[in-house]
Amino acid sequence: MSSAPPPGSGQQPPDDDPFRKQPPPGEGGPGSGSPYDTPYGGGDRPPPYPGGPGGGEGGGGPYGGGGPYGGGGPYGGGGGDPYGGGPPGDPLAGMPPLADSGKRTLARIVDMILVGAVVWLLSWGLNVDAYRVNDEQVGVGMSFGQSLIAAVLYIAYDTFLTARTGQTLGKKWMGLRVANLDDGATPSVQTSMLRAAVLWVPFAFCCACVWTIVSGGWSFFDKPYKQGLHDKAAKTVVVSTR
């Protein structure tokens, strides 16, 4: 009986996620080039490293200067990653490059305009101040009603699209995507909701402009992962898809 979680449970990203971290060359199963696929000198395969059993000149073990990788590790002389990430052990290894913070800002503005238009229409259609009598109470009621609608819609919008593809409409148009920092996969529903709540609850109820600037603008200065505060809370990053 399989121990894998059922589809849609949010516990683990699907194996066929096209944006998940890519394995380094030579790690793909049988026949992938691993020196441990066959015994030394077995079949038509060469010995795993020069100077090993059946090898020629230039001796040395698999971890020395004469190893199978030419002394530079499996990723080449610099030990880097072929997909634009950092050195082995770096969470970004195998992932696309981090997104430009300016593009992230433009994508967020697009999302705010799209959802903001719906918030305004619903606030007007629902007439959230219908049961207020005093003018001051009308103002307070309208403000809270709009804030509540805004929080619900922004969180639902961001959670649904981020958990589905990693992209809101703004991010899709700007060629960006949200990914888990640890494995590069599309965030789960829980992760997407946490990320959205940290971003949008303060925006809707208390400090819209200030919080948007602080949380989103944090990525302009954050090192090394260019995370906003909402990314830090959810342990996500935003990467480029182009």
Side-chain angles (χ1 to χ4, degrees):
M1 181 175 179
S2 175
S3 60
S9 64
Q11 298 179 21
Q12 185 176 3
D15 292 336
D16 60 352
D17 185 339
F19 293 103
R20 200 169 182 179
K21 281 186 181 181
Q22 300 298 314
E27 294 185 6
S32 61
S34 169
Y36 305 105
D37 285 345
T38 59
Y40 295 154
D44 296 328
R45 298 175 60 83
Y49 53 87
E57 299 179 356
Y63 311 111
Y69 310 119
Y75 308 111
D81 181 77
Y83 296 93
D90 186 342
L92 298 180
M95 291 172 63
L98 294 172
D100 177 74
S101 294
K103 288 187 176 181
R104 291 184 61 172
T105 301
L106 292 177
R108 184 63 64 196
I109 291 173
V110 170
D111 291 331
M112 290 172 65
I113 292 173
L114 293 175
V115 180
V118 179
V119 171
W120 182 85
L121 289 173
L122 285 178
S123 300
W124 175 77
L126 294 175
N127 194 18
V128 294
D129 64 330
Y131 298 100
R132 302 295 185 181
V133 177
N134 184 287
D135 287 343
E136 182 178 351
Q137 289 180 321
V138 169
V140 172
M142 178 75 76
S143 175
F144 177 79
Q146 287 180 331
S147 295
L148 182 61
I149 292 172
V152 171
L153 286 184
Y154 276 116
I155 291 174
Y157 168 84
D158 225 323
T159 299
F160 175 76
L161 292 180
T162 300
R164 186 169 179 264
T165 63
Q167 296 176 298
T168 60
L169 294 178
K171 284 184 172 63
K172 186 173 182 178
W173 293 339
M174 297 303 299
L176 311 177
R177 176 184 173 273
V178 181
N180 291 330
L181 177 59
D182 60 350
D183 62 5
T186 300
S188 66
V189 173
Q190 293 89 339
T191 299
S192 300
M193 183 175 292
L194 173 61
R195 186 177 186 275
V198 171
L199 180 63
W200 294 117
V201 169
F203 170 87
F205 286 102
C206 63
C207 42
C209 294
V210 174
W211 181 247
T212 301
I213 293 173
V214 172
S215 181
W218 200 271
S219 68
F220 282 88
F221 310 101
D222 183 68
K223 302 292 182 183
Y225 303 128
K226 300 174 69 173
Q227 294 173 298
L229 295 182
H230 49 301
D231 289 310
K232 288 185 175 297
K235 297 180 181 176
T236 57
V237 289
V238 179
V239 297
S240 176
T241 61
R242 297 176 182 171

